[in-house]
Amino acid sequence: YLIISASQLEELWEMVSATGTPPKIDFKTHSVVAVFAGQKPAAGYSITVAKVEDADARMVSIALAKPADDCVLAQIVTAPYEIVAVPTTSLPLAHKDVVTTVNCPK
């Protein structure tokens, strides 16, 4: 998601059931990117904005981490997400996903 106004950020804040009030963002100089991994069946999944690069488009590299198949994890439904502020640009937004498998926690 690309958020370009305070009202859109408030809607997003409610959608993710975040606590407190949304951070103050100067939408003249910044926008907000929100990335979501969707529902996952267990703990151990994560998503992050790994890199933002501007060229012909604003390329947002999204790192999706999933646990190895042999991990013993809490069986709880999760929905990882990350919300970041980035400088405003007129470039079109594009993204690429990089999926990695992480070792089991010890």
Side-chain angles (χ1 to χ4, degrees):
Y1 287 89
L2 179 63
I3 308 299
I4 58 171
S5 71
S7 62
Q8 288 178 341
L9 182 58
E10 287 176 19
E11 288 178 32
L12 175 70
W13 211 251
E14 287 181 27
M15 183 178 82
V16 299
S17 301
T19 58
T21 58
K24 299 291 182 206
I25 304 290
D26 181 353
F27 284 100
K28 292 178 182 148
T29 60
H30 286 78
S31 55
V32 173
V33 172
V35 294
F36 297 84
Q39 282 195 344
K40 302 300 178 192
Y45 292 84
S46 67
I47 187 168
T48 59
V49 173
K51 187 176 2 175
V52 177
E53 297 176 295
D54 291 339
D56 294 333
R58 169 158 285 171
M59 180 60 67
V60 178
S61 296
I62 301 169
L64 300 156
K66 66 180 196 104
D69 291 338
D70 61 343
C71 292
V72 177
L73 302 165
Q75 298 301 300
I76 182 170
V77 175
T78 61
Y81 67 89
E82 184 171 57
I83 301 171
V84 298
V86 295
T88 301
T89 182
S90 60
L91 293 171
L93 186 65
H95 73 88
K96 65 179 174 182
D97 296 343
V98 178
V99 179
T100 58
T101 300
V102 295
N103 293 328
C104 302
K106 296 186 183 216

mmCIF file of all heavy atoms in Angstrom, residues 5 11-12 30 32-34 36 39 58-59 61-62 76-77 84 86 88 100 104:
data_model
loop_
_atom_site.group_PDB
_atom_site.id
_atom_site.type_symbol
_atom_site.label_atom_id
_atom_site.label_comp_id
_atom_site.label_asym_id
_atom_site.label_seq_id
_atom_site.Cartn_x
_atom_site.Cartn_y
_atom_site.Cartn_z
ATOM 1 N N SER A 5 -1.720 10.420 2.544
ATOM 2 C CA SER A 5 -2.420 11.443 3.331
ATOM 3 C C SER A 5 -2.614 10.952 4.761
ATOM 4 O O SER A 5 -2.601 9.745 5.030
ATOM 5 C CB SER A 5 -3.785 11.768 2.718
ATOM 6 O OG SER A 5 -4.677 10.689 2.897
ATOM 7 N N GLU A 11 -6.817 5.354 8.442
ATOM 8 C CA GLU A 11 -7.563 4.168 8.006
ATOM 9 C C GLU A 11 -6.696 2.918 8.113
ATOM 10 O O GLU A 11 -7.149 1.875 8.586
ATOM 11 C CB GLU A 11 -8.054 4.331 6.569
ATOM 12 C CG GLU A 11 -9.186 5.306 6.403
ATOM 13 C CD GLU A 11 -9.588 5.468 4.946
ATOM 14 O OE1 GLU A 11 -9.479 4.490 4.160
ATOM 15 O OE2 GLU A 11 -10.010 6.578 4.577
ATOM 16 N N LEU A 12 -5.449 3.021 7.650
ATOM 17 C CA LEU A 12 -4.528 1.896 7.730
ATOM 18 C C LEU A 12 -4.287 1.516 9.184
ATOM 19 O O LEU A 12 -4.281 0.333 9.530
ATOM 20 C CB LEU A 12 -3.202 2.235 7.048
ATOM 21 C CG LEU A 12 -2.107 1.178 7.162
ATOM 22 C CD1 LEU A 12 -2.473 -0.052 6.329
ATOM 23 C CD2 LEU A 12 -0.767 1.744 6.732
ATOM 24 N N HIS A 30 6.967 13.334 2.643
ATOM 25 C CA HIS A 30 7.049 11.883 2.827
ATOM 26 C C HIS A 30 5.723 11.208 2.485
ATOM 27 O O HIS A 30 4.662 11.829 2.533
ATOM 28 C CB HIS A 30 7.424 11.537 4.274
ATOM 29 C CG HIS A 30 8.851 11.807 4.575
ATOM 30 N ND1 HIS A 30 9.330 13.076 4.826
ATOM 31 C CD2 HIS A 30 9.918 10.972 4.634
ATOM 32 C CE1 HIS A 30 10.626 13.010 5.040
ATOM 33 N NE2 HIS A 30 11.016 11.753 4.924
ATOM 34 N N VAL A 32 3.985 6.971 2.940
ATOM 35 C CA VAL A 32 4.115 5.775 3.766
ATOM 36 C C VAL A 32 3.895 4.550 2.891
ATOM 37 O O VAL A 32 2.973 4.520 2.075
ATOM 38 C CB VAL A 32 3.099 5.804 4.929
ATOM 39 C CG1 VAL A 32 3.089 4.494 5.696
ATOM 40 C CG2 VAL A 32 3.400 6.969 5.873
ATOM 41 N N VAL A 33 4.761 3.569 3.057
ATOM 42 C CA VAL A 33 4.619 2.291 2.363
ATOM 43 C C VAL A 33 4.289 1.243 3.418
ATOM 44 O O VAL A 33 4.966 1.161 4.449
ATOM 45 C CB VAL A 33 5.920 1.914 1.615
ATOM 46 C CG1 VAL A 33 5.840 0.501 1.051
ATOM 47 C CG2 VAL A 33 6.208 2.919 0.513
ATOM 48 N N ALA A 34 3.257 0.467 3.166
ATOM 49 C CA ALA A 34 2.869 -0.615 4.069
ATOM 50 C C ALA A 34 2.898 -1.923 3.283
ATOM 51 O O ALA A 34 2.336 -2.003 2.191
ATOM 52 C CB ALA A 34 1.477 -0.360 4.637
ATOM 53 N N PHE A 36 2.437 -6.259 3.529
ATOM 54 C CA PHE A 36 1.740 -7.285 4.289
ATOM 55 C C PHE A 36 2.092 -8.670 3.756
ATOM 56 O O PHE A 36 2.161 -8.863 2.542
ATOM 57 C CB PHE A 36 0.223 -7.091 4.181
ATOM 58 C CG PHE A 36 -0.253 -5.791 4.777
ATOM 59 C CD1 PHE A 36 -0.218 -4.619 4.031
ATOM 60 C CD2 PHE A 36 -0.710 -5.744 6.074
ATOM 61 C CE1 PHE A 36 -0.636 -3.418 4.577
ATOM 62 C CE2 PHE A 36 -1.137 -4.542 6.632
ATOM 63 C CZ PHE A 36 -1.096 -3.378 5.886
ATOM 64 N N GLN A 39 -2.084 -13.817 6.038
ATOM 65 C CA GLN A 39 -2.181 -14.704 7.200
ATOM 66 C C GLN A 39 -1.253 -15.896 7.055
ATOM 67 O O GLN A 39 -1.173 -16.505 5.981
ATOM 68 C CB GLN A 39 -3.608 -15.200 7.388
ATOM 69 C CG GLN A 39 -4.501 -14.172 8.026
ATOM 70 C CD GLN A 39 -5.788 -14.784 8.546
ATOM 71 O OE1 GLN A 39 -6.169 -15.892 8.191
ATOM 72 N NE2 GLN A 39 -6.478 -14.031 9.383
ATOM 73 N N ARG A 58 10.242 3.797 -8.426
ATOM 74 C CA ARG A 58 10.659 3.568 -7.044
ATOM 75 C C ARG A 58 10.501 2.074 -6.787
ATOM 76 O O ARG A 58 9.393 1.554 -6.751
ATOM 77 C CB ARG A 58 9.816 4.365 -6.071
ATOM 78 C CG ARG A 58 10.078 3.917 -4.625
ATOM 79 C CD ARG A 58 9.724 4.921 -3.612
ATOM 80 N NE ARG A 58 10.730 5.970 -3.622
ATOM 81 C CZ ARG A 58 10.612 7.105 -2.950
ATOM 82 N NH1 ARG A 58 9.540 7.344 -2.232
ATOM 83 N NH2 ARG A 58 11.558 8.012 -2.999
ATOM 84 N N MET A 59 11.649 1.387 -6.672
ATOM 85 C CA MET A 59 11.647 -0.061 -6.461
ATOM 86 C C MET A 59 11.736 -0.349 -4.964
ATOM 87 O O MET A 59 12.716 0.019 -4.317
ATOM 88 C CB MET A 59 12.815 -0.722 -7.189
ATOM 89 C CG MET A 59 12.886 -2.227 -7.013
ATOM 90 S SD MET A 59 11.423 -3.115 -7.607
ATOM 91 C CE MET A 59 11.545 -2.837 -9.356
ATOM 92 N N SER A 61 12.123 -3.218 -2.380
ATOM 93 C CA SER A 61 12.501 -4.617 -2.205
ATOM 94 C C SER A 61 11.918 -5.099 -0.880
ATOM 95 O O SER A 61 12.184 -4.505 0.170
ATOM 96 C CB SER A 61 14.015 -4.784 -2.196
ATOM 97 O OG SER A 61 14.548 -4.410 -3.439
ATOM 98 N N ILE A 62 11.130 -6.156 -0.959
ATOM 99 C CA ILE A 62 10.422 -6.682 0.208
ATOM 100 C C ILE A 62 11.018 -8.032 0.568
ATOM 101 O O ILE A 62 11.058 -8.938 -0.268
ATOM 102 C CB ILE A 62 8.920 -6.819 -0.091
ATOM 103 C CG1 ILE A 62 8.338 -5.450 -0.474
ATOM 104 C CG2 ILE A 62 8.189 -7.422 1.102
ATOM 105 C CD1 ILE A 62 6.946 -5.517 -1.047
ATOM 106 N N ILE A 76 -0.060 -20.520 15.922
ATOM 107 C CA ILE A 76 -0.942 -19.371 16.103
ATOM 108 C C ILE A 76 -0.972 -18.613 14.779
ATOM 109 O O ILE A 76 0.050 -18.450 14.133
ATOM 110 C CB ILE A 76 -0.445 -18.472 17.261
ATOM 111 C CG1 ILE A 76 -1.387 -17.313 17.471
ATOM 112 C CG2 ILE A 76 0.969 -17.994 17.026
ATOM 113 C CD1 ILE A 76 -1.103 -16.524 18.743
ATOM 114 N N VAL A 77 -2.151 -18.199 14.379
ATOM 115 C CA VAL A 77 -2.279 -17.462 13.127
ATOM 116 C C VAL A 77 -1.650 -16.082 13.314
ATOM 117 O O VAL A 77 -1.945 -15.377 14.286
ATOM 118 C CB VAL A 77 -3.757 -17.329 12.700
ATOM 119 C CG1 VAL A 77 -3.894 -16.457 11.465
ATOM 120 C CG2 VAL A 77 -4.350 -18.711 12.447
ATOM 121 N N VAL A 84 6.461 1.836 6.811
ATOM 122 C CA VAL A 84 7.632 2.720 6.831
ATOM 123 C C VAL A 84 7.325 4.016 6.098
ATOM 124 O O VAL A 84 6.557 4.036 5.139
ATOM 125 C CB VAL A 84 8.879 2.046 6.200
ATOM 126 C CG1 VAL A 84 9.300 0.814 6.969
ATOM 127 C CG2 VAL A 84 8.641 1.695 4.749
ATOM 128 N N VAL A 86 8.774 7.021 3.745
ATOM 129 C CA VAL A 86 9.817 7.202 2.729
ATOM 130 C C VAL A 86 9.652 8.589 2.114
ATOM 131 O O VAL A 86 8.552 9.144 2.118
ATOM 132 C CB VAL A 86 9.736 6.119 1.622
ATOM 133 C CG1 VAL A 86 10.016 4.734 2.184
ATOM 134 C CG2 VAL A 86 8.387 6.143 0.925
ATOM 135 N N THR A 88 8.829 11.423 -0.434
ATOM 136 C CA THR A 88 7.858 11.484 -1.527
ATOM 137 C C THR A 88 8.585 11.519 -2.875
ATOM 138 O O THR A 88 9.665 12.077 -2.988
ATOM 139 C CB THR A 88 6.985 12.743 -1.377
ATOM 140 O OG1 THR A 88 6.317 12.675 -0.118
ATOM 141 C CG2 THR A 88 5.959 12.857 -2.481
ATOM 142 N N THR A 100 13.107 -15.795 1.747
ATOM 143 C CA THR A 100 14.179 -16.576 2.342
ATOM 144 C C THR A 100 13.605 -17.522 3.379
ATOM 145 O O THR A 100 12.542 -17.269 3.947
ATOM 146 C CB THR A 100 15.232 -15.681 3.028
ATOM 147 O OG1 THR A 100 14.596 -14.899 4.026
ATOM 148 C CG2 THR A 100 15.928 -14.763 2.046
ATOM 149 N N CYS A 104 15.637 -22.662 12.298
ATOM 150 C CA CYS A 104 14.802 -22.744 13.477
ATOM 151 C C CYS A 104 15.484 -22.042 14.655
ATOM 152 O O CYS A 104 16.708 -22.123 14.798
ATOM 153 C CB CYS A 104 14.564 -24.206 13.860
ATOM 154 S SG CYS A 104 13.800 -25.166 12.545
#
